[in-house]
Amino acid sequence: MEKFEPIRIGLLGLGTVGGGVLDVLTRNRGEITRRAGRRIEVTQASARNLERARTRLDGRARLVEDAMAIVTDPEIDIVVGQPRPWTPGPSLSNSFGFGGHNG
């Protein structure tokens, strides 16, 4: 039985940054869990190209269309990504500094 709940990660994009995080966390799951003392799970992801993202995720996380749903979800502990080419607007970037639960 685990002592702690897993750390839940949401990915904003599945390109170089988000896809790389997904791959590293998947490939090194055992060692990361051992070092962190708890599991680290990617539970949600958002991407500009949903079909390509669905293929990349291969069922490892829930795909959501709205990036703000990840940013504002209290079940997500850490948000990772660099949404630069598809940033949906100022509300996404503002949420990190003004009232978003992730910081």
Side-chain angles (χ1 to χ4, degrees), residues 7 27 35 57 83 99:
I7 296 171
R27 183 176 54 246
R35 289 183 181 198
L57 284 173

Side-chain angles (χ1 to χ4, degrees), residues 9-15 18-19 22 42-48 50 53-54 56-57 60-67 69-70 76 79-80 86:
I9 294 178
L11 298 176
L12 303 181
L14 288 167
L22 179 67
V42 175
T43 58
Q44 293 183 46
S46 180
R48 187 173 33 160
L50 296 177
R54 201 169 278 111
R56 180 103 192 233
L57 284 173
R60 294 181 278 182
R62 183 168 69 97
L63 181 61
V64 298
E65 290 186 49
D66 180 13
I70 294 173
I76 298 293
V79 174
V80 176
W86 61 274

Side-chain angles (χ1 to χ4, degrees), residues 67-88:
M68 280 302 294
I70 294 173
V71 173
T72 59
D73 186 339
E75 294 295 312
I76 298 293
D77 300 307
I78 299 171
V79 174
V80 176
Q82 184 162 350
R84 105 187 113 84
W86 61 274
T87 301

